[in-house]
Amino acid sequence: MVVLWLMGGGALGLDPVPTSKWGGLPVMLMLAVLFLGIGFPIAILLALGRRGSLPVARAICTFIIELVRGLPLVGLLFVAAILLPLFLPPDWTIDKLFRTLVALTIFSSAYLAEVVRGGLQGLDKGQGEAARALGIPYWKMVGHIILPQAIQNVIPPLTNTAIVMVKNTSLVLIVGIFDMLSAARGAATDPTWPAPSTEGYLFVAALYFAICFSISIYARHLENGVRARSHS
């Protein structure tokens, strides 16, 4: 949010920076944080809908999940960044970075939903039945009893999916988003200040490794905390 605020000219009299001039590591981090942060709540709703007892909601959630998981991310990016403007009225303009963010959010939410659904299926049905017998409302039961246990059980696959999604941000260069990999390529081909291409790509790889390894370390910390609380 701070990055968006600063880029929008919200502090110290800064001029707004159009998204067409955004690039490099900030774009990669902003996309990763936003589409995972927005996609995870959507994934929870999709998983609950697919596991729910309402036939219409279950059919809609199942259709969305299976449709998105059956499509490649590159295809979704092309639809969002290139094909979608062709179907809109001429006077309608939607920012390309925003369209890319929506495509990444939809893609990540479908995969995260299946991971959450696996955690829900691994729980004993007796807990929900006991909560309903005690008169606990549905959403309070889900938020305080079901979901915490389900998410704790699937921390490793959630971590793996999050790491894969972070690395998938490198695909946005295909639709013209100037991400970190594009910055390294641009530096290597700059005729005025040419940079060594090998060192640039190795630096980008080191940044991706540092980010993904940090996510893995944090997930391990969460697992250890859950394990310690369960044994106490």
mmCIF file with all atom_site columns, all heavy atoms in Angstrom, residues 206-230:
data_model
loop_
_atom_site.group_PDB
_atom_site.id
_atom_site.type_symbol
_atom_site.label_atom_id
_atom_site.label_alt_id
_atom_site.label_comp_id
_atom_site.label_asym_id
_atom_site.label_entity_id
_atom_site.label_seq_id
_atom_site.pdbx_PDB_ins_code
_atom_site.Cartn_x
_atom_site.Cartn_y
_atom_site.Cartn_z
_atom_site.occupancy
_atom_site.B_iso_or_equiv
_atom_site.pdbx_formal_charge
_atom_site.auth_seq_id
_atom_site.auth_comp_id
_atom_site.auth_asym_id
_atom_site.auth_atom_id
_atom_site.pdbx_PDB_model_num
ATOM 1   N N   . ALA A 1 206 ? 19.366 -14.719 -7.909  1.00 0.00 ? 206 ALA A N   1
ATOM 2   C CA  . ALA A 1 206 ? 19.646 -14.653 -6.470  1.00 0.00 ? 206 ALA A CA  1
ATOM 3   C C   . ALA A 1 206 ? 18.506 -13.968 -5.720  1.00 0.00 ? 206 ALA A C   1
ATOM 4   O O   . ALA A 1 206 ? 18.143 -14.375 -4.609  1.00 0.00 ? 206 ALA A O   1
ATOM 5   C CB  . ALA A 1 206 ? 20.957 -13.910 -6.235  1.00 0.00 ? 206 ALA A CB  1
ATOM 6   N N   . LEU A 1 207 ? 17.903 -12.932 -6.318  1.00 0.00 ? 207 LEU A N   1
ATOM 7   C CA  . LEU A 1 207 ? 16.773 -12.264 -5.674  1.00 0.00 ? 207 LEU A CA  1
ATOM 8   C C   . LEU A 1 207 ? 15.563 -13.188 -5.579  1.00 0.00 ? 207 LEU A C   1
ATOM 9   O O   . LEU A 1 207 ? 14.907 -13.252 -4.527  1.00 0.00 ? 207 LEU A O   1
ATOM 10  C CB  . LEU A 1 207 ? 16.413 -10.998 -6.454  1.00 0.00 ? 207 LEU A CB  1
ATOM 11  C CG  . LEU A 1 207 ? 17.322 -9.789  -6.273  1.00 0.00 ? 207 LEU A CG  1
ATOM 12  C CD1 . LEU A 1 207 ? 16.857 -8.640  -7.152  1.00 0.00 ? 207 LEU A CD1 1
ATOM 13  C CD2 . LEU A 1 207 ? 17.360 -9.345  -4.815  1.00 0.00 ? 207 LEU A CD2 1
ATOM 14  N N   . TYR A 1 208 ? 15.275 -13.909 -6.656  1.00 0.00 ? 208 TYR A N   1
ATOM 15  C CA  . TYR A 1 208 ? 14.164 -14.860 -6.608  1.00 0.00 ? 208 TYR A CA  1
ATOM 16  C C   . TYR A 1 208 ? 14.416 -15.937 -5.544  1.00 0.00 ? 208 TYR A C   1
ATOM 17  O O   . TYR A 1 208 ? 13.505 -16.306 -4.797  1.00 0.00 ? 208 TYR A O   1
ATOM 18  C CB  . TYR A 1 208 ? 13.966 -15.517 -7.971  1.00 0.00 ? 208 TYR A CB  1
ATOM 19  C CG  . TYR A 1 208 ? 13.031 -14.769 -8.887  1.00 0.00 ? 208 TYR A CG  1
ATOM 20  C CD1 . TYR A 1 208 ? 13.507 -14.094 -10.003 1.00 0.00 ? 208 TYR A CD1 1
ATOM 21  C CD2 . TYR A 1 208 ? 11.657 -14.731 -8.634  1.00 0.00 ? 208 TYR A CD2 1
ATOM 22  C CE1 . TYR A 1 208 ? 12.651 -13.402 -10.847 1.00 0.00 ? 208 TYR A CE1 1
ATOM 23  C CE2 . TYR A 1 208 ? 10.800 -14.045 -9.466  1.00 0.00 ? 208 TYR A CE2 1
ATOM 24  C CZ  . TYR A 1 208 ? 11.301 -13.380 -10.572 1.00 0.00 ? 208 TYR A CZ  1
ATOM 25  O OH  . TYR A 1 208 ? 10.451 -12.686 -11.392 1.00 0.00 ? 208 TYR A OH  1
ATOM 26  N N   . PHE A 1 209 ? 15.651 -16.420 -5.478  1.00 0.00 ? 209 PHE A N   1
ATOM 27  C CA  . PHE A 1 209 ? 15.965 -17.440 -4.475  1.00 0.00 ? 209 PHE A CA  1
ATOM 28  C C   . PHE A 1 209 ? 15.804 -16.885 -3.070  1.00 0.00 ? 209 PHE A C   1
ATOM 29  O O   . PHE A 1 209 ? 15.258 -17.563 -2.184  1.00 0.00 ? 209 PHE A O   1
ATOM 30  C CB  . PHE A 1 209 ? 17.399 -17.942 -4.674  1.00 0.00 ? 209 PHE A CB  1
ATOM 31  C CG  . PHE A 1 209 ? 17.862 -18.877 -3.590  1.00 0.00 ? 209 PHE A CG  1
ATOM 32  C CD1 . PHE A 1 209 ? 17.448 -20.206 -3.585  1.00 0.00 ? 209 PHE A CD1 1
ATOM 33  C CD2 . PHE A 1 209 ? 18.682 -18.425 -2.565  1.00 0.00 ? 209 PHE A CD2 1
ATOM 34  C CE1 . PHE A 1 209 ? 17.861 -21.066 -2.571  1.00 0.00 ? 209 PHE A CE1 1
ATOM 35  C CE2 . PHE A 1 209 ? 19.094 -19.279 -1.561  1.00 0.00 ? 209 PHE A CE2 1
ATOM 36  C CZ  . PHE A 1 209 ? 18.683 -20.603 -1.557  1.00 0.00 ? 209 PHE A CZ  1
ATOM 37  N N   . ALA A 1 210 ? 16.292 -15.653 -2.843  1.00 0.00 ? 210 ALA A N   1
ATOM 38  C CA  . ALA A 1 210 ? 16.183 -15.065 -1.507  1.00 0.00 ? 210 ALA A CA  1
ATOM 39  C C   . ALA A 1 210 ? 14.721 -14.895 -1.095  1.00 0.00 ? 210 ALA A C   1
ATOM 40  O O   . ALA A 1 210 ? 14.340 -15.183 0.051   1.00 0.00 ? 210 ALA A O   1
ATOM 41  C CB  . ALA A 1 210 ? 16.912 -13.721 -1.476  1.00 0.00 ? 210 ALA A CB  1
ATOM 42  N N   . ILE A 1 211 ? 13.880 -14.439 -2.017  1.00 0.00 ? 211 ILE A N   1
ATOM 43  C CA  . ILE A 1 211 ? 12.462 -14.235 -1.700  1.00 0.00 ? 211 ILE A CA  1
ATOM 44  C C   . ILE A 1 211 ? 11.770 -15.570 -1.421  1.00 0.00 ? 211 ILE A C   1
ATOM 45  O O   . ILE A 1 211 ? 11.064 -15.724 -0.415  1.00 0.00 ? 211 ILE A O   1
ATOM 46  C CB  . ILE A 1 211 ? 11.772 -13.486 -2.854  1.00 0.00 ? 211 ILE A CB  1
ATOM 47  C CG1 . ILE A 1 211 ? 12.323 -12.066 -2.972  1.00 0.00 ? 211 ILE A CG1 1
ATOM 48  C CG2 . ILE A 1 211 ? 10.261 -13.445 -2.640  1.00 0.00 ? 211 ILE A CG2 1
ATOM 49  C CD1 . ILE A 1 211 ? 11.869 -11.334 -4.209  1.00 0.00 ? 211 ILE A CD1 1
ATOM 50  N N   . CYS A 1 212 ? 11.982 -16.545 -2.295  1.00 0.00 ? 212 CYS A N   1
ATOM 51  C CA  . CYS A 1 212 ? 11.312 -17.838 -2.128  1.00 0.00 ? 212 CYS A CA  1
ATOM 52  C C   . CYS A 1 212 ? 11.842 -18.588 -0.912  1.00 0.00 ? 212 CYS A C   1
ATOM 53  O O   . CYS A 1 212 ? 11.071 -19.241 -0.190  1.00 0.00 ? 212 CYS A O   1
ATOM 54  C CB  . CYS A 1 212 ? 11.493 -18.680 -3.394  1.00 0.00 ? 212 CYS A CB  1
ATOM 55  S SG  . CYS A 1 212 ? 10.706 -17.990 -4.860  1.00 0.00 ? 212 CYS A SG  1
ATOM 56  N N   . PHE A 1 213 ? 13.147 -18.495 -0.661  1.00 0.00 ? 213 PHE A N   1
ATOM 57  C CA  . PHE A 1 213 ? 13.710 -19.165 0.513   1.00 0.00 ? 213 PHE A CA  1
ATOM 58  C C   . PHE A 1 213 ? 13.201 -18.512 1.797   1.00 0.00 ? 213 PHE A C   1
ATOM 59  O O   . PHE A 1 213 ? 12.978 -19.196 2.797   1.00 0.00 ? 213 PHE A O   1
ATOM 60  C CB  . PHE A 1 213 ? 15.227 -19.122 0.458   1.00 0.00 ? 213 PHE A CB  1
ATOM 61  C CG  . PHE A 1 213 ? 15.898 -19.944 1.519   1.00 0.00 ? 213 PHE A CG  1
ATOM 62  C CD1 . PHE A 1 213 ? 15.789 -21.328 1.516   1.00 0.00 ? 213 PHE A CD1 1
ATOM 63  C CD2 . PHE A 1 213 ? 16.629 -19.333 2.526   1.00 0.00 ? 213 PHE A CD2 1
ATOM 64  C CE1 . PHE A 1 213 ? 16.399 -22.093 2.507   1.00 0.00 ? 213 PHE A CE1 1
ATOM 65  C CE2 . PHE A 1 213 ? 17.237 -20.086 3.515   1.00 0.00 ? 213 PHE A CE2 1
ATOM 66  C CZ  . PHE A 1 213 ? 17.125 -21.471 3.507   1.00 0.00 ? 213 PHE A CZ  1
ATOM 67  N N   . SER A 1 214 ? 13.010 -17.194 1.777   1.00 0.00 ? 214 SER A N   1
ATOM 68  C CA  . SER A 1 214 ? 12.462 -16.510 2.952   1.00 0.00 ? 214 SER A CA  1
ATOM 69  C C   . SER A 1 214 ? 11.037 -16.979 3.240   1.00 0.00 ? 214 SER A C   1
ATOM 70  O O   . SER A 1 214 ? 10.659 -17.169 4.406   1.00 0.00 ? 214 SER A O   1
ATOM 71  C CB  . SER A 1 214 ? 12.481 -15.002 2.729   1.00 0.00 ? 214 SER A CB  1
ATOM 72  O OG  . SER A 1 214 ? 13.796 -14.532 2.528   1.00 0.00 ? 214 SER A OG  1
ATOM 73  N N   . ILE A 1 215 ? 10.248 -17.173 2.176   1.00 0.00 ? 215 ILE A N   1
ATOM 74  C CA  . ILE A 1 215 ? 8.897  -17.702 2.365   1.00 0.00 ? 215 ILE A CA  1
ATOM 75  C C   . ILE A 1 215 ? 8.951  -19.088 2.989   1.00 0.00 ? 215 ILE A C   1
ATOM 76  O O   . ILE A 1 215 ? 8.176  -19.426 3.888   1.00 0.00 ? 215 ILE A O   1
ATOM 77  C CB  . ILE A 1 215 ? 8.152  -17.736 1.022   1.00 0.00 ? 215 ILE A CB  1
ATOM 78  C CG1 . ILE A 1 215 ? 7.957  -16.319 0.490   1.00 0.00 ? 215 ILE A CG1 1
ATOM 79  C CG2 . ILE A 1 215 ? 6.794  -18.432 1.170   1.00 0.00 ? 215 ILE A CG2 1
ATOM 80  C CD1 . ILE A 1 215 ? 7.342  -16.265 -0.900  1.00 0.00 ? 215 ILE A CD1 1
ATOM 81  N N   . SER A 1 216 ? 9.887  -19.923 2.521   1.00 0.00 ? 216 SER A N   1
ATOM 82  C CA  . SER A 1 216 ? 10.027 -21.275 3.061   1.00 0.00 ? 216 SER A CA  1
ATOM 83  C C   . SER A 1 216 ? 10.442 -21.253 4.531   1.00 0.00 ? 216 SER A C   1
ATOM 84  O O   . SER A 1 216 ? 9.915  -22.025 5.347   1.00 0.00 ? 216 SER A O   1
ATOM 85  C CB  . SER A 1 216 ? 11.058 -22.052 2.235   1.00 0.00 ? 216 SER A CB  1
ATOM 86  O OG  . SER A 1 216 ? 11.261 -23.343 2.757   1.00 0.00 ? 216 SER A OG  1
ATOM 87  N N   . ILE A 1 217 ? 11.369 -20.356 4.887   1.00 0.00 ? 217 ILE A N   1
ATOM 88  C CA  . ILE A 1 217 ? 11.803 -20.249 6.279   1.00 0.00 ? 217 ILE A CA  1
ATOM 89  C C   . ILE A 1 217 ? 10.650 -19.798 7.174   1.00 0.00 ? 217 ILE A C   1
ATOM 90  O O   . ILE A 1 217 ? 10.450 -20.320 8.283   1.00 0.00 ? 217 ILE A O   1
ATOM 91  C CB  . ILE A 1 217 ? 12.995 -19.282 6.386   1.00 0.00 ? 217 ILE A CB  1
ATOM 92  C CG1 . ILE A 1 217 ? 14.227 -19.859 5.696   1.00 0.00 ? 217 ILE A CG1 1
ATOM 93  C CG2 . ILE A 1 217 ? 13.307 -18.977 7.841   1.00 0.00 ? 217 ILE A CG2 1
ATOM 94  C CD1 . ILE A 1 217 ? 14.737 -21.139 6.303   1.00 0.00 ? 217 ILE A CD1 1
ATOM 95  N N   . TYR A 1 218 ? 9.873  -18.841 6.696   1.00 0.00 ? 218 TYR A N   1
ATOM 96  C CA  . TYR A 1 218 ? 8.741  -18.362 7.492   1.00 0.00 ? 218 TYR A CA  1
ATOM 97  C C   . TYR A 1 218 ? 7.695  -19.457 7.672   1.00 0.00 ? 218 TYR A C   1
ATOM 98  O O   . TYR A 1 218 ? 7.123  -19.615 8.759   1.00 0.00 ? 218 TYR A O   1
ATOM 99  C CB  . TYR A 1 218 ? 8.122  -17.138 6.828   1.00 0.00 ? 218 TYR A CB  1
ATOM 100 C CG  . TYR A 1 218 ? 6.947  -16.567 7.594   1.00 0.00 ? 218 TYR A CG  1
ATOM 101 C CD1 . TYR A 1 218 ? 7.130  -15.971 8.832   1.00 0.00 ? 218 TYR A CD1 1
ATOM 102 C CD2 . TYR A 1 218 ? 5.655  -16.653 7.079   1.00 0.00 ? 218 TYR A CD2 1
ATOM 103 C CE1 . TYR A 1 218 ? 6.052  -15.459 9.537   1.00 0.00 ? 218 TYR A CE1 1
ATOM 104 C CE2 . TYR A 1 218 ? 4.578  -16.144 7.777   1.00 0.00 ? 218 TYR A CE2 1
ATOM 105 C CZ  . TYR A 1 218 ? 4.779  -15.544 9.008   1.00 0.00 ? 218 TYR A CZ  1
ATOM 106 O OH  . TYR A 1 218 ? 3.716  -15.052 9.715   1.00 0.00 ? 218 TYR A OH  1
ATOM 107 N N   . ALA A 1 219 ? 7.455  -20.237 6.612   1.00 0.00 ? 219 ALA A N   1
ATOM 108 C CA  . ALA A 1 219 ? 6.499  -21.342 6.725   1.00 0.00 ? 219 ALA A CA  1
ATOM 109 C C   . ALA A 1 219 ? 6.992  -22.384 7.720   1.00 0.00 ? 219 ALA A C   1
ATOM 110 O O   . ALA A 1 219 ? 6.198  -22.950 8.482   1.00 0.00 ? 219 ALA A O   1
ATOM 111 C CB  . ALA A 1 219 ? 6.275  -21.978 5.352   1.00 0.00 ? 219 ALA A CB  1
ATOM 112 N N   . ARG A 1 220 ? 8.295  -22.645 7.721   1.00 0.00 ? 220 ARG A N   1
ATOM 113 C CA  . ARG A 1 220 ? 8.844  -23.590 8.697   1.00 0.00 ? 220 ARG A CA  1
ATOM 114 C C   . ARG A 1 220 ? 8.668  -23.070 10.109  1.00 0.00 ? 220 ARG A C   1
ATOM 115 O O   . ARG A 1 220 ? 8.381  -23.839 11.046  1.00 0.00 ? 220 ARG A O   1
ATOM 116 C CB  . ARG A 1 220 ? 10.324 -23.830 8.393   1.00 0.00 ? 220 ARG A CB  1
ATOM 117 C CG  . ARG A 1 220 ? 10.945 -24.972 9.196   1.00 0.00 ? 220 ARG A CG  1
ATOM 118 C CD  . ARG A 1 220 ? 12.404 -25.138 8.834   1.00 0.00 ? 220 ARG A CD  1
ATOM 119 N NE  . ARG A 1 220 ? 12.560 -25.318 7.385   1.00 0.00 ? 220 ARG A NE  1
ATOM 120 C CZ  . ARG A 1 220 ? 13.746 -25.275 6.776   1.00 0.00 ? 220 ARG A CZ  1
ATOM 121 N NH1 . ARG A 1 220 ? 14.844 -25.062 7.486   1.00 0.00 ? 220 ARG A NH1 1
ATOM 122 N NH2 . ARG A 1 220 ? 13.823 -25.457 5.472   1.00 0.00 ? 220 ARG A NH2 1
ATOM 123 N N   . HIS A 1 221 ? 8.832  -21.753 10.283  1.00 0.00 ? 221 HIS A N   1
ATOM 124 C CA  . HIS A 1 221 ? 8.612  -21.151 11.599  1.00 0.00 ? 221 HIS A CA  1
ATOM 125 C C   . HIS A 1 221 ? 7.157  -21.325 12.036  1.00 0.00 ? 221 HIS A C   1
ATOM 126 O O   . HIS A 1 221 ? 6.888  -21.637 13.206  1.00 0.00 ? 221 HIS A O   1
ATOM 127 C CB  . HIS A 1 221 ? 8.980  -19.664 11.536  1.00 0.00 ? 221 HIS A CB  1
ATOM 128 C CG  . HIS A 1 221 ? 8.573  -18.885 12.745  1.00 0.00 ? 221 HIS A CG  1
ATOM 129 N ND1 . HIS A 1 221 ? 9.200  -19.022 13.970  1.00 0.00 ? 221 HIS A ND1 1
ATOM 130 C CD2 . HIS A 1 221 ? 7.582  -17.960 12.928  1.00 0.00 ? 221 HIS A CD2 1
ATOM 131 C CE1 . HIS A 1 221 ? 8.618  -18.220 14.853  1.00 0.00 ? 221 HIS A CE1 1
ATOM 132 N NE2 . HIS A 1 221 ? 7.640  -17.567 14.255  1.00 0.00 ? 221 HIS A NE2 1
ATOM 133 N N   . LEU A 1 222 ? 6.222  -21.140 11.108  1.00 0.00 ? 222 LEU A N   1
ATOM 134 C CA  . LEU A 1 222 ? 4.815  -21.345 11.437  1.00 0.00 ? 222 LEU A CA  1
ATOM 135 C C   . LEU A 1 222 ? 4.544  -22.796 11.819  1.00 0.00 ? 222 LEU A C   1
ATOM 136 O O   . LEU A 1 222 ? 3.810  -23.074 12.782  1.00 0.00 ? 222 LEU A O   1
ATOM 137 C CB  . LEU A 1 222 ? 3.941  -20.946 10.252  1.00 0.00 ? 222 LEU A CB  1
ATOM 138 C CG  . LEU A 1 222 ? 3.861  -19.459 9.911   1.00 0.00 ? 222 LEU A CG  1
ATOM 139 C CD1 . LEU A 1 222 ? 2.983  -19.247 8.686   1.00 0.00 ? 222 LEU A CD1 1
ATOM 140 C CD2 . LEU A 1 222 ? 3.325  -18.653 11.086  1.00 0.00 ? 222 LEU A CD2 1
ATOM 141 N N   . GLU A 1 223 ? 5.123  -23.732 11.077  1.00 0.00 ? 223 GLU A N   1
ATOM 142 C CA  . GLU A 1 223 ? 4.934  -25.151 11.394  1.00 0.00 ? 223 GLU A CA  1
ATOM 143 C C   . GLU A 1 223 ? 5.462  -25.482 12.780  1.00 0.00 ? 223 GLU A C   1
ATOM 144 O O   . GLU A 1 223 ? 4.820  -26.214 13.553  1.00 0.00 ? 223 GLU A O   1
ATOM 145 C CB  . GLU A 1 223 ? 5.638  -26.008 10.348  1.00 0.00 ? 223 GLU A CB  1
ATOM 146 C CG  . GLU A 1 223 ? 4.921  -26.109 9.028   1.00 0.00 ? 223 GLU A CG  1
ATOM 147 C CD  . GLU A 1 223 ? 5.585  -27.132 8.120   1.00 0.00 ? 223 GLU A CD  1
ATOM 148 O OE1 . GLU A 1 223 ? 5.218  -28.311 8.183   1.00 0.00 ? 223 GLU A OE1 1
ATOM 149 O OE2 . GLU A 1 223 ? 6.487  -26.732 7.375   1.00 0.00 ? 223 GLU A OE2 1
ATOM 150 N N   . ASN A 1 224 ? 6.639  -24.958 13.102  1.00 0.00 ? 224 ASN A N   1
ATOM 151 C CA  . ASN A 1 224 ? 7.209  -25.226 14.427  1.00 0.00 ? 224 ASN A CA  1
ATOM 152 C C   . ASN A 1 224 ? 6.341  -24.634 15.525  1.00 0.00 ? 224 ASN A C   1
ATOM 153 O O   . ASN A 1 224 ? 6.168  -25.237 16.597  1.00 0.00 ? 224 ASN A O   1
ATOM 154 C CB  . ASN A 1 224 ? 8.628  -24.662 14.507  1.00 0.00 ? 224 ASN A CB  1
ATOM 155 C CG  . ASN A 1 224 ? 9.598  -25.387 13.603  1.00 0.00 ? 224 ASN A CG  1
ATOM 156 O OD1 . ASN A 1 224 ? 9.400  -26.560 13.275  1.00 0.00 ? 224 ASN A OD1 1
ATOM 157 N ND2 . ASN A 1 224 ? 10.659 -24.711 13.189  1.00 0.00 ? 224 ASN A ND2 1
ATOM 158 N N   . GLY A 1 225 ? 5.771  -23.444 15.267  1.00 0.00 ? 225 GLY A N   1
ATOM 159 C CA  . GLY A 1 225 ? 4.887  -22.845 16.259  1.00 0.00 ? 225 GLY A CA  1
ATOM 160 C C   . GLY A 1 225 ? 3.619  -23.656 16.465  1.00 0.00 ? 225 GLY A C   1
ATOM 161 O O   . GLY A 1 225 ? 3.167  -23.846 17.595  1.00 0.00 ? 225 GLY A O   1
ATOM 162 N N   . VAL A 1 226 ? 3.047  -24.161 15.368  1.00 0.00 ? 226 VAL A N   1
ATOM 163 C CA  . VAL A 1 226 ? 1.849  -24.998 15.471  1.00 0.00 ? 226 VAL A CA  1
ATOM 164 C C   . VAL A 1 226 ? 2.162  -26.291 16.209  1.00 0.00 ? 226 VAL A C   1
ATOM 165 O O   . VAL A 1 226 ? 1.394  -26.756 17.059  1.00 0.00 ? 226 VAL A O   1
ATOM 166 C CB  . VAL A 1 226 ? 1.287  -25.283 14.064  1.00 0.00 ? 226 VAL A CB  1
ATOM 167 C CG1 . VAL A 1 226 ? 0.184  -26.331 14.141  1.00 0.00 ? 226 VAL A CG1 1
ATOM 168 C CG2 . VAL A 1 226 ? 0.764  -24.001 13.428  1.00 0.00 ? 226 VAL A CG2 1
ATOM 169 N N   . ARG A 1 227 ? 3.312  -26.881 15.899  1.00 0.00 ? 227 ARG A N   1
ATOM 170 C CA  . ARG A 1 227 ? 3.699  -28.140 16.541  1.00 0.00 ? 227 ARG A CA  1
ATOM 171 C C   . ARG A 1 227 ? 3.938  -27.931 18.038  1.00 0.00 ? 227 ARG A C   1
ATOM 172 O O   . ARG A 1 227 ? 3.574  -28.777 18.863  1.00 0.00 ? 227 ARG A O   1
ATOM 173 C CB  . ARG A 1 227 ? 4.949  -28.694 15.862  1.00 0.00 ? 227 ARG A CB  1
ATOM 174 C CG  . ARG A 1 227 ? 5.287  -30.118 16.285  1.00 0.00 ? 227 ARG A CG  1
ATOM 175 C CD  . ARG A 1 227 ? 6.510  -30.646 15.555  1.00 0.00 ? 227 ARG A CD  1
ATOM 176 N NE  . ARG A 1 227 ? 6.304  -30.664 14.119  1.00 0.00 ? 227 ARG A NE  1
ATOM 177 C CZ  . ARG A 1 227 ? 6.916  -29.883 13.250  1.00 0.00 ? 227 ARG A CZ  1
ATOM 178 N NH1 . ARG A 1 227 ? 7.802  -28.983 13.697  1.00 0.00 ? 227 ARG A NH1 1
ATOM 179 N NH2 . ARG A 1 227 ? 6.689  -29.958 11.964  1.00 0.00 ? 227 ARG A NH2 1
ATOM 180 N N   . ALA A 1 228 ? 4.536  -26.799 18.391  1.00 0.00 ? 228 ALA A N   1
ATOM 181 C CA  . ALA A 1 228 ? 4.803  -26.523 19.807  1.00 0.00 ? 228 ALA A CA  1
ATOM 182 C C   . ALA A 1 228 ? 3.497  -26.314 20.570  1.00 0.00 ? 228 ALA A C   1
ATOM 183 O O   . ALA A 1 228 ? 3.362  -26.778 21.713  1.00 0.00 ? 228 ALA A O   1
ATOM 184 C CB  . ALA A 1 228 ? 5.705  -25.294 19.933  1.00 0.00 ? 228 ALA A CB  1
ATOM 185 N N   . ARG A 1 229 ? 2.542  -25.627 19.968  1.00 0.00 ? 229 ARG A N   1
ATOM 186 C CA  . ARG A 1 229 ? 1.257  -25.407 20.650  1.00 0.00 ? 229 ARG A CA  1
ATOM 187 C C   . ARG A 1 229 ? 0.465  -26.705 20.797  1.00 0.00 ? 229 ARG A C   1
ATOM 188 O O   . ARG A 1 229 ? -0.236 -26.913 21.789  1.00 0.00 ? 229 ARG A O   1
ATOM 189 C CB  . ARG A 1 229 ? 0.416  -24.378 19.882  1.00 0.00 ? 229 ARG A CB  1
ATOM 190 C CG  . ARG A 1 229 ? 0.924  -22.947 20.033  1.00 0.00 ? 229 ARG A CG  1
ATOM 191 C CD  . ARG A 1 229 ? -0.121 -21.957 19.555  1.00 0.00 ? 229 ARG A CD  1
ATOM 192 N NE  . ARG A 1 229 ? -0.413 -22.127 18.150  1.00 0.00 ? 229 ARG A NE  1
ATOM 193 C CZ  . ARG A 1 229 ? 0.209  -21.493 17.174  1.00 0.00 ? 229 ARG A CZ  1
ATOM 194 N NH1 . ARG A 1 229 ? 1.203  -20.656 17.460  1.00 0.00 ? 229 ARG A NH1 1
ATOM 195 N NH2 . ARG A 1 229 ? -0.118 -21.679 15.916  1.00 0.00 ? 229 ARG A NH2 1
ATOM 196 N N   . SER A 1 230 ? 0.588  -27.588 19.783  1.00 0.00 ? 230 SER A N   1
ATOM 197 C CA  . SER A 1 230 ? -0.149 -28.849 19.876  1.00 0.00 ? 230 SER A CA  1
ATOM 198 C C   . SER A 1 230 ? 0.405  -29.775 20.940  1.00 0.00 ? 230 SER A C   1
ATOM 199 O O   . SER A 1 230 ? -0.324 -30.592 21.501  1.00 0.00 ? 230 SER A O   1
ATOM 200 C CB  . SER A 1 230 ? -0.124 -29.557 18.509  1.00 0.00 ? 230 SER A CB  1
ATOM 201 O OG  . SER A 1 230 ? 1.211  -29.890 18.147  1.00 0.00 ? 230 SER A OG  1
#
